[in-house]
Amino acid sequence: MLLYLSIFTILISFVLLYHNWGLNKNAIYLTFVFILTSIFGIAHYLITSGGSRFWLAIFYNNFAALMFLIGPFLYFYIRNTLTDRYSLSKKDWLHFIPTLIAFIGSVPYIFQSFDKKLEIADKIIQNPDIIEEIDVNIFYTMGQSFVFRCSIAFLYLIGCIYLLWKLYPSETKEKQIPKNQLIITYRWLIILITNLSFIFVSFILLAISSEHSVPSKTINDGQVLYIIAGLAYSIMSFSLILFPEILYGIPRRNEAVTPKKKKVKNKIAPEEDPFFDMYKAILKYLEEEKPFLNPDFSVSDIALYLKAPQNHVSYCITYLMETKFSKLKSALRIKHALELLKKGSNSLLTIEAIGKQSGFKTRSNFYAAFKEETGFTPTEYINNEISETIR
């Protein structure tokens, strides 16, 4: 399970990176957090129950130095997301020092022959307790490395929680930020940090246990902690699917700010939103192409025409047009039907035919939508128009 989950997370990380590259490069940091935690999960699986000497030789300790980057990358992602930037300052490079030290210490192990690594893998498979005797780093043992990595990651997590609290926009600043985007971002960050908290705390406890017992006993005694960490890791990975705005890309907030701000009932005007240009493109497409006249018209038709992710189109309809797609589609069709009726098309076409020309598949659907939109049935509307004309 852990192996498949780790592979799935790596795949979804590349989806995240691909769709966010042009919109928000902070996704690079989040992608590395997911990939590195996945590599850690794969390595742990191979040690405890993998049984593959080849893959264990590849994953065991070769990527250990990179695990020190999980904390810094998480910190960069959350800080830059909350402050609307993606570049690193000169001071930020200090965060890479533990990784550099770990890499230098691992050089003798990393660059030894693969045959030697296969021998080490065989020994670990036969007896996991042999891990304590393997020289993986010239500065510290594998057990100490595990403690250092978990401790550093946990400290960064605490720093991220502090940032989330400290950088929450004040009432004044909140008015200058697209509200829906702010809500989506904070919900996602809270879920991300909550799940990482369970994972990091679980491994901190395992790291403490490893200092007082042999690896095999730590593995056996830590099954509950493994389950907790596994559940949290599962939720963290699959939560991206619940936040398509994050997975498929949402621009940085400052790219949406325009010189003139128009307040509408204490809400940020649509032109303040990162997707305002797409919102205008959708309106133009609906007005000029009238795709809603096709009975099978769907959100995917708009996405294909604009060559944009479907969730971006859904975002524009839900938050900028402030309606549901079904209601938008129905309203546009009824508007078209009213135009036909006003032109006198009912004298040439039956009401059912007007409904079909407006995109409705059945007469009953047309009548129901017409009644909901105008308060009249098509027949009542026509009779009312005739009465008004006679008067």
Side-chain angles (χ1 to χ4, degrees):
M1 182 65 180
L2 178 60
L3 177 63
Y4 296 121
L5 180 60
S6 298
I7 294 173
F8 167 78
T9 304
I10 290 175
L11 292 176
I12 204 171
S13 297
F14 284 111
V15 174
L16 174 72
L17 185 62
Y18 174 79
H19 287 286
N20 281 271
W21 182 260
L23 290 173
N24 190 346
K25 290 185 173 57
N26 285 324
I28 297 173
Y29 306 123
L30 182 60
T31 298
F32 277 116
V33 170
F34 278 103
I35 290 177
L36 291 175
T37 52
S38 297
I39 291 175
F40 180 83
I42 292 172
H44 185 78
Y45 168 82
L46 293 170
I47 292 173
T48 58
S49 55
S52 171
R53 64 193 296 264
F54 174 80
W55 289 111
L56 183 55
I58 290 177
F59 280 90
Y60 182 73
N61 197 58
N62 289 314
F63 303 101
L66 296 178
M67 298 302 109
F68 285 93
L69 291 174
I70 294 177
F73 280 140
L74 176 66
Y75 173 77
F76 294 151
Y77 171 70
I78 291 179
R79 182 198 63 185
N80 291 3
T81 297
L82 295 176
T83 58
D84 264 354
R85 66 178 188 180
Y86 61 83
S87 59
L88 300 180
S89 65
K90 293 181 179 179
K91 290 183 179 179
D92 286 332
W93 292 98
L94 296 174
H95 294 278
F96 294 96
I97 291 178
T99 303
L100 180 61
I101 294 173
F103 175 75
I104 293 173
S106 299
V107 166
Y109 179 88
I110 293 174
F111 290 99
Q112 66 182 329
S113 69
F114 192 69
D115 288 337
K116 181 64 176 177
K117 292 179 181 179
L118 287 173
E119 292 178 11
I120 293 174
D122 288 332
K123 292 178 181 179
I124 294 174
I125 292 172
Q126 294 172 9
N127 180 18
D129 294 338
I130 199 70
I131 287 175
E132 294 183 328
E133 301 176 12
I134 301 172
D135 293 327
V136 295
N137 195 292
I138 62 176
F139 301 128
Y140 41 70
T141 65
M142 176 56 77
Q144 291 171 336
S145 173
F146 186 49
V147 172
F148 293 155
R149 281 180 283 161
C150 294
S151 300
I152 290 176
F154 184 74
L155 290 175
Y156 273 102
L157 182 68
I158 297 299
C160 290
I161 295 173
Y162 173 73
L163 283 178
L164 204 62
W165 169 75
K166 180 182 179 182
L167 296 179
Y168 189 86
S170 62
E171 185 176 350
T172 302
K173 290 183 178 180
E174 189 175 349
K175 293 179 180 180
Q176 301 172 5
I177 299 173
K179 188 174 182 180
N180 294 314
Q181 187 177 352
L182 177 66
I183 292 173
I184 291 169
T185 300
Y186 259 81
R187 282 178 179 172
W188 158 246
L189 292 180
I190 289 172
I191 289 176
L192 176 65
I193 287 179
T194 300
N195 284 287
L196 285 174
S197 296
F198 280 108
I199 295 171
F200 290 171
V201 169
S202 297
F203 280 99
I204 280 286
L205 295 176
L206 286 171
I208 294 173
S209 174
S210 68
E211 285 295 289
H212 298 88
S213 62
V214 295
S216 58
K217 190 174 187 304
T218 300
I219 293 171
N220 292 330
D221 294 345
Q223 291 303 316
V224 174
L225 293 175
Y226 285 129
I227 293 173
I228 294 174
L231 288 174
Y233 187 65
S234 301
I235 295 171
M236 182 183 71
S237 300
F238 284 97
S239 61
L240 272 174
I241 299 175
L242 302 177
F243 286 86
E245 297 90 347
I246 302 297
L247 180 60
Y248 292 108
I250 187 166
R252 293 162 56 223
R253 292 192 297 266
N254 61 14
E255 294 175 355
V257 177
T258 53
K260 296 181 180 179
K261 295 182 174 65
K262 299 179 182 179
K263 295 181 180 179
V264 182
K265 295 181 181 180
N266 296 324
K267 292 183 178 180
I268 296 299
E271 55 264 38
E272 301 284 343
D273 197 280
F275 290 108
F276 182 63
D277 288 339
M278 182 177 291
Y279 161 74
K280 292 192 297 183
I282 293 173
L283 292 179
K284 182 178 179 181
Y285 171 58
L286 295 174
E287 181 180 353
E288 295 181 356
E289 303 296 329
K290 299 186 184 303
F292 50 85
L293 299 181
N294 179 355
D296 297 319
F297 174 57
S298 65
V299 176
S300 61
D301 294 323
I302 304 176
L304 287 172
Y305 182 84
L306 298 179
K307 296 180 180 179
Q310 185 171 314
N311 73 292
H312 289 189
V313 175
S314 299
Y315 176 92
C316 291
I317 294 171
T318 302
Y319 295 114
L320 298 185
M321 298 182 184
E322 298 184 338
T323 186
K324 294 181 179 179
F325 176 73
S326 58
K327 290 186 177 180
L328 173 66
K329 178 172 61 176
S330 179
L332 290 170
R333 287 172 173 173
I334 295 302
K335 180 181 177 182
H336 183 77
L338 289 173
E339 291 174 355
L340 292 178
L341 290 172
K342 288 177 181 178
K343 289 178 181 178
S345 298
N346 57 302
S347 61
L348 302 174
L349 299 170
T350 63
I351 292 177
E352 184 176 357
I354 289 176
K356 287 186 176 180
Q357 284 195 5
S358 300
F360 291 97
K361 288 185 176 182
T362 65
R363 183 175 183 273
S364 59
N365 287 341
F366 175 49
Y367 266 70
F370 198 98
K371 177 78 172 180
E372 183 178 354
E373 193 70 24
T374 66
F376 302 98
T377 66
T379 303
E380 290 172 344
Y381 180 84
I382 292 171
N383 293 335
N384 188 56
E385 285 292 308
I386 294 173
S387 299
E388 290 293 328
T389 302
I390 294 175
R391 292 178 186 175

